[in-house]
Amino acid sequence: MTSTPDALNAELAQQTELFNRLRIDNSDPAALEESRRRLGEIKRELAALKPGGKDAKKKERLLLKTPKGTRDYGPGEMFCRDYVERIVKECFVLYGGAQLDTPVFERKDILAGKYGEDAKLIFDLEDQGGEQLALRYDHTVPLARYLAMGGVTNTQSKLWQVGKVYRRDNPVMSKGRMREFSQADFDISGQWDTMIPDAELLSLLCTILTRLEVGEFTVKVNHRKILDGIFEVCGVPPEKIRPISSAVDKLDKLPWSDVRKEMIGEKGLDAASADKIGEYVKHKGGRPLLDQLLADATLTANAKAKQGLDEIGTLFTFLDAYKITDKILFDLSLARGLDYYTGLIYEAIVEASAPPGLTATEKPDPAPAVPKKKSRKSGGADEDEEIDESQVGVGSIAAGGRYDDLVGMFTAAASSDGKKGAGLPCIGVSIGLDRIFALLWPKWVERGMRSKEVFAYVLAAGDGLLPERMALVQELRAQGIAADFLAKNKPKLNAQFAAGERDEVPYAVILGGEELKAGLVTVKEQRWEFVDGKKAKVESTDKGTQMPRAELVQWLKATETFRDWSGGRLIRQ
Amino acid sequence: MTSTPDALNAELAQQTELFNRLRIDNSDPAALEESRRRLGEIKRELAALKPGGKDAKKKERLLLKTPKGTRDYGPGEMFCRDYVERIVKECFVLYGGAQLDTPVFERKDILAGKYGEDAKLIFDLEDQGGEQLALRYDHTVPLARYLAMGGVTNTQSKLWQVGKVYRRDNPVMSKGRMREFSQADFDISGQWDTMIPDAELLSLLCTILTRLEVGEFTVKVNHRKILDGIFEVCGVPPEKIRPISSAVDKLDKLPWSDVRKEMIGEKGLDAASADKIGEYVKHKGGRPLLDQLLADATLTANAKAKQGLDEIGTLFTFLDAYKITDKILFDLSLARGLDYYTGLIYEAIVEASAPPGLTATEKPDPAPAVPKKKSRKSGGADEDEEIDESQVGVGSIAAGGRYDDLVGMFTAAASSDGKKGAGLPCIGVSIGLDRIFALLWPKWVERGMRSKEVFAYVLAAGDGLLPERMALVQELRAQGIAADFLAKNKPKLNAQFAAGERDEVPYAVILGGEELKAGLVTVKEQRWEFVDGKKAKVESTDKGTQMPRAELVQWLKATETFRDWSGGRLIRQ
């Protein structure tokens, strides 16, 4: 990011030209927005480098930026994000979910002891006298806190929450790895029969990813009890099970040789145990893998492993009923980092999930090219470590698992006698909306998406006609037609057309003084098409349709465009 | 809140009975939820009071609660909140807005110097090495920061943002005065002709409040330039203008005599000036008030006052075109607390806005009953001052104004030569979603609203039929029909009906083993009505409709209920 003034000036010239071109032909608002953003960045970088500015003076200058690891989303981007959120919410409702909302911060003791090694990434609020607070790290722990507070009546629920969560990790912005990011969670709580809620959640996840058109995806599944059984069978002492599990969790980013080194070196496991683990965790597959493991007498002699394998077997029969078997990959190397999982775990990946050199569903062995600095290893501080973004993948786009003990941890800790409180089995999934946005957004830009939904632009051909324009937009809006006009007393006709075109408004309604007296208005349809990656207005010889003003609303609502509009079909096919 | 154990135990018995009754007749999920919540509270309070618990032991116990001034919103409440948000967003789109999203925290220097006396209420994040951050206090300053970063291309925009903002004030939860609360903002930036964007915003606000059915409302308007002119004319020295303005701002909560005392005592104004101000700020009205002020030669000799009065005159003509004149009250006592306003200011009030003893649109003089402790006077610390909630009103439900200098403040502060940066005139409105929720929610509870949208509940009359139930819900969901089933292998038929009824699901789809083999299913419509404030299932002798399984989707989609559903008509009329 630290470029020389020369390089910056060269880019400034280039970007200014691009920006002006985009502004003039006015066909691609998304690219224009990107260009604007970059232009601003270059200018700020140049200003910061300006010679003659004394250090003392520099410090006084306000740095105009968002905090590290966060960003603004402008109109075009929010149009895309809103589309993603809408589909996710629709699916949550289809699956019988009800919405929950919890505060963005929690009391610190609520978050304590839930995140293992990653607890260092929690954002704390300043102690301003009163409670010790921290920003939420995920939606799962607040949900468990809510369920624990609710007592018996919340024992059976399907709850969802969409909102931002916070982690002081090293960000990789272009891949949607942020310090502030949006997660959409769906959780099922209650005493249900084995693996039924688990199958519901996997089905929900597949439905969402299919409807979002994220491309080919795979949902890797594994079971904490199988993993723990494997670790026991391979001779891992009890106190090392979670640390060794954390090491296995890195297999999607590191080759086995590195993970093995971590197990033996950092975590003090003997080499023989590590090698035995290595034999197990290289397996992935479907039902045949399950049969193979069930035939492994050493493994099935372990009660935990046996229970886990049986549950995976039950799950497989349900996946057939849900018709999603082909999307699921049983993968023994999947471990998930969070401490609180107790049963089935899963994560969804696409091709872009993997860093270059690794493929998303293949075992990363032999040693591939990996980024020199790993964000997972960095501490919570603002080290401003440089990450080579080209060497990082998007990572999993959704993940989750069963956490049967988390609610019980809360009720126990809150009980007066210190006894075990009432537990509540839960399973959930978190969908990483920023990572999905990072996958979809380039396609939107390519297709040249709109960023506004204005349907009718009201223009005056006569002498301003301001009150008349105001009254008409007001009437259209009251009828559910998004309308706008140019906020000038006496604007030129061209300026009004240009403003309407900037937002790609499909209908121009033109008011003329004489026409209005006769009770008439003129409507002109305007169309844009997307040719060779560029948006262009379709030229038309249409002089517009004159009609009684009283019929305008009805006429507009009868157009095919309006019916598409109100049905939410905003995606260019 | 500190009750005796006896009182708590009495309430516990009472509440338990209510809760059980609600659960059994199962007709009012919202009341059930409220009862559940209260029951949890009582139990926790009782547990905390339990004798024999040593202090040391007490401290170790986890306090299971949300942070002060925040709360969870459960399914019923979120259904209502979602309805409010959806209407607000629809209106934002109707008025030509485009969506923006900024981070929930900002660099501290971005927020500094924008909020006057209220800056002490800002929530700071802990310094964990790196940037100094604070939670956003409103959406206006982040928007201005975004516009300042964007440079020239953002000069003409209508942007909206919905999200949470944070203030360390003393909360009054029942009135929607929270430390974490949701605001929906709409802002217009750009060089436009006088008062046109201002009228657009007032029209937008009136449309939203009308569509939300908040009851009779009034939008009070005033102009900072008129106020400043009045202060100058009354002899307020320049350095005291903002403090005196802050004092005037309290006139909706305090009688004039108290405000006068603050002006003279705390703020050192001479009594004659205060009395002159008192004469002006008691005025409110419409066009006649404007004419009266324009006839006041002393006032119109002041250039600022004259400009403000002329702008109000222009605004009045636009209000007629928008047909909202009857909703607007020109009120010289309206001052608004924030420092950054420069022109028109406004706030929307309903009857519930005022504390008891004051009416929302009347001048609070002579001295009425006011709360003994005022939240506005408290510092930012967690003083845990008790507020008598019955003595506090909801306050304004929306407010805003023109802030022409804020973007310029940012560009100037960020410029390398310290010169004035490019300014950008802006005007905006913030809608207080929590206060609107506080107004609407009791009506929803009264009407017994649903909290879920499940449309079909799939039951097995035969021997479990689990894969068949899974396959059918899956098929219904794929067709856009929200569906659910009981996650048990072999549930009893009654248990399945009870689960479907809990969510008020309108159609039960019953699978039988023999029927299924013949390719048939049975659909039974279930209806609920709301009689004497209670929800009740409408008993029916209907044995259900048998139909080919292949026709089920089509049949369900043809029902009137489904058409209502997908049209979002979730409100009970």
Side-chain angles (χ1 to χ4, degrees), chain A residues 446-464:
Chain A
E446 206 176 287
R447 286 188 236 168
M449 290 300 173
R450 292 163 49 90
S451 61
K452 265 190 175 192
E453 293 175 83
V454 177
F455 186 79
Y457 207 86
V458 176
L459 300 77
D463 192 32

Side-chain angles (χ1 to χ4, degrees), chain A residues 91-111:
Chain A
C91 292
F92 285 172
V93 168
L94 279 181
Y95 277 73
Q99 194 174 358
L100 174 69
D101 187 64
T102 67
V104 85
F105 45 66
E106 293 278 344
R107 294 167 63 91
K108 276 198 73 171
D109 46 9
I110 297 287
L111 303 188

Side-chain angles (χ1 to χ4, degrees), chain A residues 19 36 68 72-73 95 101 104 126 129 145 153 158 164 166 180 193 203 382 474 477 484 489, chain B residues 19 36 72-73 95 101 104 124 129 131 145 153 158 164 166 180 193 203 382 474 477 484 489:
Chain A
F19 177 75
R36 171 191 61 70
K68 182 177 181 183
D72 299 320
Y73 292 96
Y95 277 73
D101 187 64
V104 85
E126 194 172 295
R145 193 259 311 137
T153 53
K158 285 180 166 182
K164 290 177 177 176
Y166 299 86
E180 174 187 62
D193 283 341
S203 161
D382 267 296
Q474 195 69 345
R477 292 165 178 169
D484 217 338
N489 291 318
Chain B
F19 176 75
R36 171 192 61 72
D72 300 318
Y73 291 96
Y95 277 74
D101 187 62
V104 85
D124 292 331
E131 298 165 310
R145 192 257 311 138
T153 53
K158 285 180 166 182
K164 291 177 175 176
Y166 299 86
E180 174 187 60
D193 283 342
S203 162
D382 266 296
Q474 196 68 345
R477 290 165 177 170
D484 217 337
N489 291 318

Side-chain angles (χ1 to χ4, degrees), chain B residues 312-474:
Chain B
I312 294 284
T314 306
L315 180 68
F316 273 138
T317 66
F318 294 159
L319 297 183
D320 288 342
Y322 279 103
K323 298 194 179 67
I324 51 168
T325 307
D326 61 322
K327 294 291 180 200
I328 309 295
L329 180 72
F330 180 27
D331 184 338
L332 286 178
S333 74
L334 176 72
R336 301 295 307 149
L338 297 171
D339 262 13
Y340 48 63
Y341 291 126
T342 55
L344 191 75
I345 47 178
Y346 34 86
E347 69 180 35
I349 50 166
V350 290
E351 211 38 62
S353 292
L358 294 185
T359 55
T361 56
E362 294 298 316
K363 185 166 161 32
D365 207 2
V370 284
K372 274 283 168 281
K373 310 205 174 177
K374 297 96 161 184
S375 61
R376 288 299 296 276
K377 284 212 162 180
S378 73
D382 266 296
E383 294 156 12
D384 267 323
E385 201 179 326
E386 283 297 323
I387 290 180
D388 179 354
E389 303 206 356
S390 69
Q391 293 301 304
V392 182
V394 166
S396 65
I397 56 173
R402 179 165 281 287
Y403 51 100
D404 286 347
D405 298 338
L406 192 54
V407 175
M409 278 171 69
F410 280 124
T411 53
S415 76
S416 53
D417 50 10
K419 272 187 207 157
K420 197 170 176 298
L424 181 60
C426 293
I427 182 164
V429 66
S430 302
I431 296 162
L433 298 180
D434 297 85
R435 295 183 182 187
I436 288 174
F437 171 77
L439 289 175
L440 296 187
W441 178 240
K443 295 183 206 165
W444 279 59
V445 171
E446 207 176 287
R447 286 189 238 168
M449 291 300 174
R450 292 163 51 89
S451 61
K452 267 192 174 189
E453 290 175 84
V454 177
F455 185 79
Y457 207 85
V458 177
L459 299 77
D463 193 32
L465 297 171
L466 181 59
E468 290 79 4
R469 284 183 287 145
M470 284 175 168
L472 184 56
V473 290
Q474 196 68 345

